[in-house]
Amino acid sequence: MTIAAGSRLGPYEVLGLLGAGGMGEVYRARDPRLGRDVAIKVLPATVSSDADRVRRFEQEARAAGVLNHPNITAVYDVGREEGSLYVVTELLEGETLRSRLAGSALPPRRALDYAVQVAHGLAAAHEKGIVHRDLKPENLFVTNDGRVKILDFGLAKLTQREGAAGPQTNLPTASAGTEPGMVMGTLGYMSPEQVRGKPADARSDIFSFGAILYEMLSGKRAFHGDSAADTMSAILREDPPELSVTKATIPPGLDRIVRHCLEKSPEQRFHSAHDLAFDLEALSGTSGTAVLAAPATRAYGSAWRIVLPAGLLLLGTVLGALFGGRLLRPTSPEAPTLSYLTFSGDDWAPSASPDGKVIAFLSDRDGTPKVWLKELAGGNEVALTSGPEGAVRFSADGATIFFLRDEDGSATLYRVPLVGGEPRRVRQKVPGAAVSPDGRLIAFTGAPRLGPAGEPVLSIAAADGSESPRELARFQGGRLSSLTWSPDGRRIAAIHQDPGASVIPARLVVVDVSNGEHRAVAPYRKRGLLGVVEWDPSGRSLLYTQMEAVSISDLTGVGRLFRCEIGKEKHTLLASFPRAIGMAGLAVLGRNRLVLDADASRENLLETTASDAVPPRFLTHGSATDRQPAYSPDGEWVVFSSSRSGNWDLWQISRKSGALRRLTEDPGHDWDPAFTPDGKKLVWSSNRTGPFEIWIAEADGSASRQLTRDGVDAENPTATPDGLSIVYDSRNPKHSGLWIVRSDGSGARRIVEGQTVHPEVSPDGRYALFFTSSAGSNRLRVVELPAGSPTNFEIPGLSGNRGRWMPDSRRIVFLHQDENGRSGLFTQDFAPAKNTAGSRRKLAGFDPAGDTESFGVSPDGSRITLAQIEWGASLLQVDGIPGIEPGRPAP
């Protein structure tokens, strides 16, 4: 029975019926205690005696109630009224995704935006052990402001991950009608395991997600037949048409992500919604390829060497100087999908377990190079050794990790079980050691006796120490690196650097273990810098990385991945990257999948507080350049400019959930964003129409319009508290200085003459700070608004040119270097007619760990987000490399 308007359910006043479905009726209601409208789902009393429906209804309330995420509908309350159960949720204004689709496709950018939001919501639910199991367009709601909410956890399955770390829901495992053989879910969006009546886990949600994303992009259902049996058969046996075929504007990289979600076997899909969300974000706006910063060659050399040649160190310095700030678009014959596995800033030399589920690598994230493990499915990272170590390698059976440690000036090989424990010494004095697949022999670059100066010797020895080392092969000059055994244990491959100090040129060498015969293979680019070499799992080919270079002084900054077929010397280019990749490690994860170390400078957003109890945390990750952060007036969002889309665009990230959203999309550059004080508008500078001008738009980036007609360079907009005026600086030589314009674009006038940069209006709207520069130093000045009347306040001799007001308008924070040359944030009291230099002090708790380009202050002044510049390496997963097939080695 429908509940009449004006009736009450507990403390709630019913306002009207919103809709009805199999699980009950939904009403709009008013909560008089908090003065807000809510939605109430009611299970009618006539069916309250149905134990199964009551159980499912209660499970929905409990499942959603433990979740707190912007992309999941919030649950406020549950109750019972005259035998009827009800649950109270937030009231959403908008429409379901089913209504939004209406049988047609969405623009790819919007579909990606929705997909990223749903993936983040699923990740939050899965982290709590909750699987939705009925994901479909009807259960996704798009609010009027573009937020996507996941609805209806009525079929959610609560799971407890055995041995999982971190907080878990205390709710017991509930079957919700999941007896073996029972099919649960909605036909057309169910995973193959659900169709077969088998248990569903988080990967089932990922399959359903893939079907929804396919429909958003194509306008057609991924699986649909004339009958239920036909649809179920399609889910089990058929693949939907490729998106790039059904719609030419869909980038191939996105098509691959959808395919990865829709794998028939759960093991072949994305292992977590976190990984899925990250790949979608990396792809967003990049036309199918991720944008990577330019290279800075890592100073670690081969994964199996401890000492780095001086020439490679020099090359790393030159690469960093030449390419530290340049951005390039990656190129590849197959446009591989790129995703980052680690973000600590210093991770290198990866080695993969034989099943491709675990990565061992080196990291000095805590100050000491150690062996770390990363589980790809769960994403957990743990340190395995105490350090310092210089190389890492999985055993052929995957049960053991081998690593090198420098002891008394020589390399000692250790082994440690994958499950942890005390490392055991294997053999001393084995530099560059590589262990044979059966674990019986060790190859190393030392020799039982020293050869003539400059002659590297490849030696082998029994791992158990039962036999003395023996010389296997000797080379004329140079040095050997990157030793690696073939899968059958019959050959050893390495990189042989030519004699002399130069690291260019070099060649690949393959040595027969039975007799020491060896042959050299020239790389594809004879003057390129070789990084590492690894056997293809088939044993028929070598995979190797190379940095484009003609000489130390002539570098292109392009990293390439090649395959070389042994015996044919046929080189195939597999992929190209606009940076150094695989200079310290390369490992095969599985079919067409690799993991490499990737070197780059990065500029990410680091949020800090003055409290020791709240450690700094990165809001953004990866190799993109993220800068110029600004908080929303409610402090919940940070808007910033970023290069992650290939050019500069505006992005926004949620401080709570980490949800990332692209706000502008234009071939031109958009940067230096700021909110209007009411949070409803964004202002920024863009050159989309030629010269840089000031633009304004809604907070989501829509309805953008140009405000100024400077003609040369109008930048650094900042809004007055009433939002009616925008202050900015002009660098047009004819009228340079500080300008103010109304938010409708009228009334532009200059208020300060001369060269000015980076103005900011005080929170009380009475003043504006800005910077001028002369004789190599910067000066911070303040003028009174609206006329631009000068004050006596100034701070001369600054090393930086970024300043922000604190919320009380009585203090200014700015970038500067202390007397020891260390960058930091300083604060000084503001008084318009008084010298306050004596109040200058370093801002406690906000010391940057590295260089800082810009920063933003939260509305309450308790948090500061820094655009932190760092150099380091991360592990990069590359999917879609053709012809990489794990399996038995060739005979």
Side-chain angles (χ1 to χ4, degrees), residues 491-494 508-512 517-519 521 535 542 566:
R491 293 165 293 177
I492 298 171
L508 306 172
V509 293
V510 178
V511 182
D512 190 313
E517 293 183 358
H518 55 276
R519 58 192 298 269
V521 179
W535 287 91
L542 293 175
I566 301 301

Side-chain angles (χ1 to χ4, degrees), residues 22-24 42-54 83:
M23 281 301 296
V42 180
L43 187 64
T46 54
V47 295
S48 293
S49 59
D50 187 330
D52 180 64
R53 295 189 73 179
V54 170

Side-chain angles (χ1 to χ4, degrees), residues 24-307:
E25 298 169 332
V26 182
Y27 294 87
R28 186 187 189 111
R30 181 77 172 171
D31 184 349
R33 298 167 300 177
L34 298 177
R36 68 180 175 187
D37 287 356
V38 297
I40 299 181
K41 178 181 281 190
V42 180
L43 187 64
T46 54
V47 295
S48 293
S49 59
D50 187 330
D52 180 64
R53 295 189 73 179
V54 170
R55 184 179 72 243
R56 289 167 57 193
F57 183 86
E58 291 177 336
Q59 182 169 325
E60 176 184 351
R62 294 200 310 271
V66 300
L67 300 173
N68 181 17
H69 191 274
N71 298 118
I72 298 176
T73 307
V75 174
Y76 298 145
D77 192 11
V78 293
R80 184 185 291 267
E81 183 75 14
E82 297 181 355
S84 295
L85 295 167
Y86 65 84
V87 59
V88 183
T89 69
E90 64 178 315
L91 181 66
L92 303 176
E93 302 286 350
E95 60 184 341
T96 66
L97 180 62
R98 171 63 66 209
S99 299
R100 180 67 60 92
L101 287 171
S104 61
L106 298 178
R109 177 191 173 191
R110 181 165 298 173
L112 265 179
D113 178 27
Y114 291 172
V116 169
Q117 294 186 61
V118 175
H120 279 297
L122 283 179
H126 295 168
E127 186 67 23
K128 292 289 187 179
I130 299 172
V131 180
H132 193 286
R133 298 201 308 158
D134 193 24
L135 206 62
K136 54 187 177 182
E138 289 82 356
N139 282 337
L140 298 176
F141 195 92
V142 183
T143 64
N144 290 336
D145 63 356
R147 178 70 57 82
V148 182
K149 298 274 189 175
I150 303 176
L151 309 175
D152 196 356
F153 277 85
L155 294 178
K157 176 185 177 184
L158 306 184
T159 62
Q160 186 71 30
R161 291 174 295 167
E162 183 178 353
Q168 294 287 319
T169 173
N170 292 322
L171 299 176
T173 299
S175 63
T178 57
E179 290 80 5
M182 179 174 288
V183 175
M184 301 295 290
T186 298
L187 199 60
Y189 301 94
M190 289 188 295
S191 64
E193 55 269 27
Q194 287 177 290
V195 171
R196 293 188 173 99
K198 294 183 178 180
D201 59 17
R203 295 169 297 181
S204 300
D205 281 351
I206 289 175
F207 185 94
S208 301
F209 172 94
I212 295 170
L213 180 53
Y214 182 94
E215 189 169 345
M216 286 195 292
L217 292 166
S218 68
K220 300 178 181 178
R221 297 199 180 194
F223 306 101
H224 182 68
D226 294 334
S227 65
D230 290 339
T231 301
M232 296 172 74
S233 176
I235 292 173
L236 294 174
R237 299 178 178 85
E238 299 175 11
D239 292 326
E242 293 188 7
L243 286 168
S244 55
V245 172
T246 62
K247 193 170 183 179
T249 58
I250 303 299
L254 184 55
D255 192 34
R256 277 194 295 272
I257 289 179
V258 175
R259 297 282 156 196
H260 199 16
C261 293
L262 294 178
E263 292 283 358
K264 305 301 183 185
S265 170
E267 289 77 15
Q268 298 299 321
R269 298 173 204 149
F270 284 96
H271 292 290
S272 75
H274 282 295
D275 292 344
L276 171 60
F278 186 84
D279 276 12
L280 287 168
E281 287 175 346
L283 187 66
S284 179
T286 62
S287 301
T289 53
V291 174
L292 303 176
T297 300
R298 178 154 194 87
Y300 288 98
S302 164
W304 284 96
R305 294 176 52 207
I306 290 181
V307 180

Side-chain angles (χ1 to χ4, degrees), residues 308-462:
L308 180 75
L312 190 52
L313 281 171
L314 173 61
L315 181 62
T317 303
V318 174
L319 282 171
L322 288 179
F323 301 107
R326 197 174 73 177
L327 296 170
L328 295 172
R329 213 177 265 276
T331 57
S332 167
E334 299 295 331
T337 301
L338 312 176
S339 57
Y340 285 92
L341 298 179
T342 63
F343 305 102
S344 79
D346 249 351
D347 307 321
W348 70 98
S351 178
S353 61
D355 60 9
K357 295 181 178 180
V358 179
I359 298 294
F361 60 97
L362 294 178
S363 178
D364 61 359
R365 61 186 66 183
D366 57 2
T368 302
K370 299 176 183 177
V371 178
W372 285 71
L373 298 177
K374 181 180 181 68
E375 183 183 10
L376 295 184
N380 295 327
E381 297 177 10
V382 296
L384 188 63
T385 64
S386 59
E389 273 75 59
V392 60
R393 192 76 154 188
F394 263 97
S395 62
D397 60 8
T400 302
I401 302 291
F402 291 97
F403 64 90
L404 287 173
R405 180 177 290 169
D406 192 353
E407 292 183 348
D408 300 324
S410 64
T412 298
L413 183 66
Y414 280 82
R415 66 186 302 162
V416 62
L418 180 65
V419 296
E422 187 65 26
R424 296 181 57 184
R425 181 184 294 170
V426 178
R427 190 148 193 151
Q428 293 178 292
K429 299 181 179 179
V430 282
V435 181
S436 63
D438 60 11
R440 297 174 56 191
L441 298 174
I442 302 171
F444 59 98
T445 56
R449 58 187 184 279
L450 292 177
E455 285 195 0
V457 176
L458 177 63
S459 299
I460 58 174

Side-chain angles (χ1 to χ4, degrees), residues 297 311-312 315 318-319 322-323 502-506 523-530 545-560 562 583:
T297 300
L312 190 52
L315 181 62
V318 174
L319 282 171
L322 288 179
F323 301 107
S502 174
V503 296
I504 306 171
Y524 179 75
R525 302 275 180 170
K526 296 183 179 180
R527 300 294 295 181
L529 171 66
L530 287 171
T545 60
Q546 192 172 32
M547 187 72 179
E548 292 289 313
V550 175
S551 67
I552 292 292
S553 60
D554 185 4
L555 306 169
T556 70
V558 177
R560 301 188 187 276
F562 292 92
M583 301 306 291

